[in-house]
Amino acid sequence: PSDEGREGRGPARSPEFQASALGYRSCAHKCRAPRVWRPDSMAEAEAAAQLGRQLRQAVTANATASGQTSIKAARELVSLLSREAPTTLRVHALAQILEDEEQRYEDLCGDNSSSHRAGYPVGRILSLVQDEDDLLEKLGHNHLLDRSKGPALHAACLRLMRAILSVTGFQYPLTEDAVVDKLRLWALGPDDEGDEDAAVGTVIAAAHDAQAAADAAVAAAHDAEGAPTHPLAVAAAIRAKSEALRVKTYATACLAVALEAEDVASAMVR
């Protein structure tokens, strides 16, 4: 183009200058930093937050729906245990429900703190138990100290206490002096092997007595040809030792819960 056609547009650029400028722009385009995604507006940020809330609500609703059967069964068991003499089967059943729902809660939430359970089945079941004022006292104190109840019911009560108190963060009634002494005997045995009263008070000693009685029954069965007492005596011995081991195991777990209380821990080490 002529100089007249370029009037007002500045001096003409040489072909070498134009090629250089084109190369610079191309390099700058290629070397540009990668784009990072950011919400273009508050609307997108709010939509993302809303999606998160909906997902959390869906998980909570699913957990609650799947736990309705557990809540119904727990309500019936709590009512029966409060109104009638507790049985080993019912106490174990309630403990099993609590353990299962607690595990489901931890699997869903990845959280074993007690601050968020109210909206889940395990929280509602714990409320059912705690609303019965005398139930914890009955199972966690009176029955544990009653030697006539036997090791099977003792094991069931200890299991239930561990399931409840290890989750709620409370230690009562396991912190009562008489209960702590009982837990210590069950879990650790007597301090003095010559202390016959303490030894008799342990379930392990009771299991040994049951084993001796069963052995005597077996010997009697051998002496009496054709007597049906042999298999029954063997089964009794196995049950006695199994219940003794259950009591020792659950008593150890409950003692660990009780030791969370500073005064109990201090008394134990003195």
Side-chain angles (χ1 to χ4, degrees):
S2 64
D3 290 340
E4 290 81 5
R6 298 194 55 85
E7 186 176 355
R9 290 189 292 172
R13 306 295 185 184
S14 68
E16 292 81 2
F17 178 88
Q18 293 176 0
S20 175
L22 180 61
Y24 172 80
R25 287 194 298 271
S26 176
C27 179
H29 176 74
K30 292 178 182 179
C31 298
R32 188 178 300 161
R35 295 182 63 187
V36 177
W37 183 88
R38 294 183 178 85
D40 292 334
S41 65
M42 290 298 294
E44 290 187 19
E46 178 58 31
Q50 178 65 22
L51 178 60
R53 286 193 294 270
Q54 290 173 351
L55 288 173
R56 288 193 296 271
Q57 291 168 0
V59 170
T60 302
N62 181 63
T64 302
S66 64
Q68 289 303 315
T69 301
S70 295
I71 295 171
K72 182 178 179 180
R75 182 180 290 110
E76 181 66 19
L77 286 169
V78 168
S79 177
L80 289 171
L81 290 172
S82 300
R83 292 184 287 105
E84 302 176 6
T87 66
T88 300
L89 183 62
R90 288 173 179 172
V91 178
H92 271 304
L94 183 56
Q96 184 70 56
I97 291 172
L98 271 169
E99 291 167 356
D100 289 346
E101 289 302 330
E102 170 63 13
Q103 186 61 56
R104 183 175 288 113
Y105 168 80
E106 292 187 17
D107 290 343
L108 284 171
C109 301
D111 176 20
N112 61 0
S113 68
S114 59
S115 56
H116 304 298
R117 286 182 174 82
Y120 292 83
V122 64
R124 295 181 61 183
I125 295 170
L126 287 170
S127 295
L128 289 173
V129 175
Q130 292 171 321
D131 286 345
E132 290 292 338
D133 296 333
D134 297 333
L135 187 58
L136 289 181
E137 183 79 16
K138 181 180 182 180
L139 299 179
H141 185 276
N142 300 344
H143 280 52
L144 290 183
L145 298 180
D146 189 346
R147 291 175 58 184
S148 69
K149 297 302 180 183
L153 187 58
H154 284 156
C157 291
L158 287 167
R159 180 187 181 186
L160 181 60
M161 290 300 101
R162 188 213 64 81
I164 295 171
L165 300 179
S166 63
V167 170
T168 59
F170 298 105
Q171 292 87 36
Y172 180 84
L174 298 183
T175 51
E176 291 291 296
D177 290 343
V179 177
V180 172
D181 289 341
K182 194 81 170 183
L183 293 176
R184 180 181 57 79
L185 286 172
W186 276 329
L188 306 176
D191 293 332
D192 183 358
E193 293 183 0
D195 187 349
E196 295 183 358
D197 291 337
V200 171
T202 65
V203 175
I204 296 298
H208 288 165
D209 292 342
Q211 179 69 62
D215 290 342
V218 171
H222 282 299
D223 293 339
E225 185 177 353
T229 55
H230 183 196
L232 295 176
V234 172
I238 293 173
R239 283 197 303 273
K241 296 206 72 167
S242 297
E243 293 301 341
L245 290 175
R246 287 191 183 97
V247 170
K248 181 179 178 67
T249 300
Y250 291 127
T252 302
C254 286
L255 186 59
V257 173
L259 287 173
E260 294 294 324
E262 186 175 349
D263 57 335
V264 174
S266 298
M268 284 282 290
V269 300
R270 284 199 298 265

